Amino acid sequence: AQSVTQLDSHVSVSEGTPVLLRCNYSSSYSPSLFWYVQHPNKGLQLLLKYTSAATLVKGINGFEAEFKKSETSFHLTKPSAHMSDAAEYFCVVPMGRALTFGSGTRLQVQP
Amino acid sequence: EADIYQTPRYLVIGTGKKITLECSQTMGHDKMYWYQQDPGMELHLIHYSYGVNSTEKGDLSSESTVSRIRTEHFPLTLESARPSHTSQYLCASRETGGEDGYTFGSGTRLTVV
């Protein structure tokens, strides 16, 4: 079975500094992996997706993630945080009938 | 602009009341889903449907029920609300084939007092 583990429940950064949100997956093969973002009072939005075409995936709002099979990781990064990036981020793997979500990482951005 | 709508956005209701959470989508998607999002922010699949008259239980056991009489409509019902049902309920839909083609509603935040 596939699953994802988000290693940090909360991450706090200063505006303008890099963002790193960590996700590890467990699978017997290279899965598809997604990152979703949820802003307060908003629906979930797809940030980016990995589907084995390229290991470095660029998403919206300057985010990107790198699929590393040797480390079974799919960490989300952004070079410079903006206040508007404050939200909940979910690492997600499709499980046939639906999506399976990680436990989420709440990103705080300090001015 | 979201094409999937959930109402109400917030609901506070007394124990024992019957409630229905509405979810409608205008994209003609066959597949629809209900997720429960606990205060700790984990999401768990509680129901899904692959088309009209098709409904299945998800990974997390739930006392709620769903129906799919029309493609665009996937309501969730609790016959007798309890404080343990307090949570956020997210509805989603997607077209057949696309693993990433999910669209999520804004959710209904339910509080049972």
Side-chain angles (χ1 to χ4, degrees):
Chain A
Q2 300 176 81
S3 69
V4 289
T5 303
Q6 291 185 245
L7 303 172
D8 308 292
S9 60
H10 290 85
V11 170
S12 181
V13 301
S14 299
E15 190 174 20
T17 64
V19 175
L20 170 64
L21 306 183
R22 299 183 293 166
C23 173
N24 285 111
Y25 70 91
S26 63
S27 174
S28 57
Y29 59 92
S30 294
S32 296
L33 289 162
F34 310 140
W35 275 98
Y36 276 80
V37 60
Q38 186 179 35
H39 287 92
N41 302 316
K42 298 278 183 67
L44 284 157
Q45 182 182 19
L46 179 67
L47 263 183
L48 50 80
K49 59 180 179 178
Y50 166 75
T51 55
S52 76
T55 56
L56 182 62
V57 182
K58 293 189 184 298
I60 61 173
N61 301 334
F63 284 94
E64 62 182 37
E66 186 172 7
F67 178 79
K68 291 186 177 179
K69 188 173 181 178
S70 60
E71 299 176 8
T72 63
S73 69
F74 190 56
H75 301 335
L76 182 70
T77 61
K78 183 173 181 178
S80 177
H82 294 160
M83 296 297 292
S84 60
D85 294 328
E88 187 86 12
Y89 292 79
F90 293 95
C91 186
V92 178
V93 60
M95 286 275 288
R97 61 185 181 179
L99 299 175
T100 294
F101 287 75
S103 55
T105 299
R106 181 171 294 279
L107 176 64
Q108 290 182 308
V109 183
Q110 310 289 344
Chain B
E1 192 73 29
D3 295 311
I4 185 164
Y5 305 97
Q6 290 186 244
T7 57
R9 184 71 184 91
Y10 299 93
L11 178 62
V12 181
I13 201 161
T15 297
K17 300 290 187 184
K18 178 180 178 178
I19 59 171
T20 297
L21 308 185
E22 302 289 348
C23 176
S24 295
Q25 50 98 3
T26 59
M27 298 167 285
H29 289 170
D30 286 327
K31 300 184 177 180
M32 295 189 74
Y33 307 83
W34 276 102
Y35 283 85
Q36 184 173 338
Q37 187 174 23
D38 295 334
M41 305 305 278
E42 290 194 38
L43 283 92
H44 298 284
L45 180 70
I46 53 174
H47 299 283
Y48 64 100
S49 167
Y50 282 174
V52 172
N53 294 325
S54 157
T55 61
E56 301 288 344
K57 294 282 191 182
D59 303 320
L60 180 68
S61 176
S62 173
E63 293 169 342
S64 59
T65 60
V66 292
S67 63
R68 190 88 183 276
I69 298 172
R70 304 197 312 267
T71 297
E72 63 271 21
H73 196 212
F74 191 40
L76 181 146
T77 298
L78 279 163
E79 290 293 332
S80 179
R82 295 209 302 269
S84 61
H85 297 141
T86 294
S87 190
Q88 174 154 253
Y89 294 84
L90 286 170
C91 183
S93 73
R94 76 172 172 105
E95 57 192 6
T96 299
E99 280 186 328
D100 59 328
Y102 287 81
T103 301
F104 283 84
S106 298
T108 293
R109 188 171 295 280
L110 172 66
T111 303
V112 184
V113 297

